[in-house]
């Protein structure tokens, strides 16, 4: 054999064994009990809106630790470590924390979809500092350290908002939650205080309530628990069974069986549904109402679509995009209900006329520059996102779409809606039409009596 074409069997075998070990990582994740994977956003999705996925204030986890070293916030994280050490009971040492994290290194690495060129010391250091940062800012650990570490000025408030966005909202900017949980357990070894999952869930719950996105209270402390902070937020945005059942009953009873077999297609615009006689009503997030913005439902008669009010601000698109990115990487663990909602929203409210209509009905509220800006934001929300609408388990709004499609295709309903829109919205036209109808009836009655009174000559 030519020496120039000799094969180094030992070296090639070593490379392939490394590739085989990488291929076994998903199995390790499943066996670990923390199945949610932290993955890079695909290029197809990222290219649509790159700024939606990158942190601006602080990096958490290896992806942006490597890409954006300027966002490491080393001093802030060291202060967080100091706060955790000060809060620890029983004189727990720094070495004890490092030992706990070092024993989780392999498990933590298996939670990422990619390998990183970080040696063990650097990886363990990063995990420890990031976990302490999360606990101090969102878990109530440490006295006198608020979100962002400082208080007072408007700039500090803007930074605090940026930290919330970076640490909680971003799909790539995460560490496995079990690392945070173990650090918290070591800080409170006797079970004192609230578990890390419940403490941070309380923060997330108040955040979502303040934005009027959710009032749900899911169980977060039991197994398997949240995979990371974004997954914890995602757990609060699960549609309720009631909304799904009401929609399903509309699409699968009596003569509607055929409609239930119709393949899922695009949602029609809100304006199209409205012109076909479908009404829109805002659904409150209180009492027996909706638990989150995902609780969309069609009433039992199929005439009114009830949609929880969505408050749109500068961060709404970023949050929804990253929640969809989480679902795209974890279809079995996270489902696809946020993606189903975003597909509904982007197609239902993708034009200025649709946004104007839904704003008048109290379903969309926003503080952006114009309705045009909102429509552009929503219309492009799902570009680059994969979604299978015909899977009832993956598309919780499939039955709602079927019910609306049946209403849209109903000719009597569409004629009634056309008459209502053309004549009865204008009171003078309505009066004129009613008068014309009365006149026609009187003419017919008069003609009938004239015929009955007529007696031909013998």
């Amino acid at each position: 054999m030519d020496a120039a074409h000799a094969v180094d069997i030992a070296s090639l075998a070593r490379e392939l064994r490394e590739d085989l070990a990488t291929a076994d990582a998903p199995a390790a994740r499943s066996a670990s009990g923390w199945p949610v994977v932290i993955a890079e956003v695909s290029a197809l999705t990222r290219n649509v809106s790159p700024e939606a996925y990158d942190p601006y204030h602080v990096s958490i986890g290896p992806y942006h630790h490597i890409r954006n070293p300027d966002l490491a916030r080393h001093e802030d994280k060291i202060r967080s470590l100091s706060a955790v050490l000060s809060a620890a009971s029983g004189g727990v040492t720094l070495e004890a924390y490092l030992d706990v994290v070092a024993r989780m290194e392999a498990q933590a690495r298996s939670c990422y979809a990619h390998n990183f060129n970080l040696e063990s010391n650097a990886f363990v250091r990063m995990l420890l500092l990031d976990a302490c940062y999360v606990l101090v800012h969102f878990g109530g650990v440490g006295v006198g350290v608020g979100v962002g570490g400082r208080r007072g000025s408007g700039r500090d408030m803007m930074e605090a908002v940026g930290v919330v966005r970076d640490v909680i909202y971003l799909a790539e900017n995460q560490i496995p939650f079990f690392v945070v949980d173990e650090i918290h357990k070591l800080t409170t070894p006797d079970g004192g205080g609230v578990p890390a999952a419940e403490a941070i869930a309380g923060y997330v719950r108040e955040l979502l309530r303040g934005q009027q996105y959710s009032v749900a209270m899911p169980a977060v402390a039991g197994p398997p628990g949240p995979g990371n902070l974004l997954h914890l937020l995602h757990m609060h945005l699960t549609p309720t069974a009631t909304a799904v059942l009401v929609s399903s009953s509309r699409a699968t009873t009596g003569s509607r069986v055929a409609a239930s077999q119709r393949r899922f297609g695009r949602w029609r615009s809100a304006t199209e549904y409205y012109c076909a006689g479908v009404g829109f009503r805002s659904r409150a997030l209180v009492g027996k109402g909706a638990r989150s913005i995902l609780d969309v439902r069609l009433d039992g008669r199929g005439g009114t679509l009830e949609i929880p009010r969505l408050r749109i601000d500068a961060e709404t698109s970023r949050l929804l995009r990253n929640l969809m990115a989480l679902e795209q990487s974890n279809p079995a663990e996270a489902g696809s209900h946020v993606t189903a909602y975003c597909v509904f929203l982007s197609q239902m409210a993708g034009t200025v006329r649709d946004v104007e209509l839904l704003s008048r009905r109290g379903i969309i509220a926003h503080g952006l520059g114009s309705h045009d800006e909102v429509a552009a934001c929503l219309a492009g929300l799902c570009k680059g996102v994969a979604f299978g609408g015909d899977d009832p388990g993956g598309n919780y709004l499939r039955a709602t779409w079927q019910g609306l499609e049946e209403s849209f295709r109903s000719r009597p309903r569409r004629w009634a809606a056309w008459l209502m829109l053309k004549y009865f919205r204008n009171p003078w036209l309505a009066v004129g039409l009613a008068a014309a109808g009365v006149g026609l009836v009187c003419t017919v009655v008069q003609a009938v009596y004239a015929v009955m009174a007529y007696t031909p000559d013998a």
Side-chain angles (χ1 to χ4, degrees):
M1 181 182 292
D2 190 343
H5 298 285
V7 177
D8 185 346
I9 299 297
S11 175
L12 183 56
R14 185 167 55 252
E15 291 177 6
L16 287 173
R17 284 193 178 95
E18 291 175 357
D19 290 342
L20 287 170
T22 302
D24 287 340
R29 280 195 295 269
S30 297
S32 70
W34 302 93
V36 174
V37 62
I38 303 170
E40 285 185 297
V41 177
S42 70
L44 182 63
T45 303
R46 177 185 288 279
N47 290 340
V48 175
S49 182
E51 70 282 355
Y53 307 101
D54 293 334
Y56 291 93
H57 292 276
V58 57
S59 66
I60 299 291
Y63 287 117
H64 293 282
H65 178 87
I66 296 171
R67 286 188 215 152
N68 303 299
D70 293 339
L71 297 181
R73 299 294 289 267
H74 182 261
E75 293 182 0
D76 284 352
K77 291 178 181 179
I78 289 294
R79 282 197 292 269
S80 297
L81 173 61
S82 176
V84 170
L85 291 171
S86 298
S89 59
V92 182
T93 64
L94 175 60
E95 288 76 9
Y97 282 97
L98 288 170
D99 181 63
V100 165
V101 178
R103 284 188 272 112
M104 293 186 290
E105 180 191 356
Q107 184 182 357
R109 285 184 185 270
S110 75
C111 290
Y112 292 93
H114 300 80
N115 293 324
F116 302 99
N117 189 24
L118 278 176
E119 62 177 11
S120 291
N121 280 359
F123 192 80
V124 168
R125 174 191 176 93
M126 176 201 67
L127 287 179
L128 175 61
L129 291 178
D130 288 355
C132 290
Y133 188 86
V134 168
L135 284 171
V136 167
H137 283 69
F138 307 109
V141 174
V143 179
V145 181
V147 174
R150 299 182 297 275
R151 298 183 182 183
S153 69
R155 180 176 180 179
D156 294 340
M157 184 60 67
M158 290 179 63
E159 182 175 321
V161 172
V163 168
V164 170
R165 177 197 63 211
D166 287 358
V167 179
I168 299 180
Y169 287 6
L170 303 186
E172 297 175 344
N173 210 40
Q174 303 288 333
I175 59 173
F177 195 84
F178 62 80
V179 177
V180 178
D181 189 55
E182 291 299 320
I183 296 297
H184 187 268
K185 288 178 181 177
L186 188 58
T187 306
T188 56
D190 298 327
V194 178
E198 292 184 8
I200 300 177
Y203 183 95
V204 169
R205 191 172 299 123
E206 291 305 313
L207 176 68
L208 292 174
R209 284 181 176 176
Q211 296 172 319
Q212 297 182 22
Y213 290 162
S214 170
V215 293
M217 296 184 64
V220 297
N228 54 60
L229 289 189
L230 181 62
H231 184 224
L232 176 62
L233 187 150
H234 183 274
M235 294 168 71
H236 289 75
L237 292 172
T238 302
T240 61
T242 303
V244 177
L245 289 173
V246 168
S247 299
S248 298
S249 64
R250 167 63 184 166
T252 58
T253 58
S255 62
R256 306 183 183 103
V257 174
S260 69
Q261 304 303 319
R262 186 178 292 124
R263 290 185 61 83
F264 181 82
R266 278 186 58 87
W267 292 90
R268 301 181 190 275
S269 69
T271 305
E272 288 180 287
Y273 285 129
Y274 180 67
C275 290
V278 176
F280 293 91
R281 180 184 303 137
S282 177
R283 193 174 178 208
L285 294 182
V286 293
K288 295 183 179 179
R291 294 178 60 206
S292 78
I293 55 174
L294 273 64
D295 282 341
V296 177
R297 71 179 185 183
L298 190 62
D299 71 353
R301 294 175 296 177
T304 302
L305 189 62
E306 300 175 353
I307 309 174
R309 186 183 192 189
L310 176 65
R311 294 178 58 186
I312 298 176
D313 58 27
E315 301 300 329
T316 303
S317 173
R318 179 176 284 107
L319 174 59
L320 293 176
R321 287 178 185 275
N322 279 275
L323 287 168
M324 285 192 287
L326 172 72
E327 292 184 344
Q328 295 283 290
S329 301
N330 299 274
E333 295 79 15
S336 59
H337 45 270
V338 173
T339 304
Y341 172 77
C342 290
V343 169
F344 159 78
L345 194 64
S346 64
Q347 296 177 4
M348 179 82 73
T351 72
V352 176
R353 291 181 64 190
D354 300 325
V355 173
E356 289 175 347
L357 170 62
L358 296 177
S359 294
R360 289 198 304 269
R361 294 294 182 269
I363 292 169
I364 287 180
H366 70 89
L368 302 186
S370 64
H371 288 335
D372 302 71
E373 189 174 347
V374 175
C377 169
L378 296 179
L381 195 59
C382 296
K383 287 183 179 179
V385 174
F387 178 66
D390 271 320
D391 176 15
N395 182 7
Y396 78 103
L397 289 172
R398 182 172 179 266
T400 301
W401 176 84
Q402 291 167 343
L404 283 174
E405 192 66 10
E406 182 188 349
S407 295
F408 184 85
R409 292 169 183 265
S410 170
R411 287 191 177 183
R413 184 187 291 274
R414 295 185 69 173
W415 274 105
W418 180 80
L419 288 172
M420 182 66 70
L421 290 173
K422 186 171 180 64
Y423 295 106
F424 291 99
R425 288 182 64 184
N426 186 322
W428 294 111
L429 284 176
V431 170
L433 185 63
V438 171
L440 178 62
V441 170
C442 291
T443 301
V444 171
V445 171
Q446 184 179 12
V448 169
Y449 273 105
V451 170
M452 293 176 62
Y454 175 70
T455 302
D457 295 334

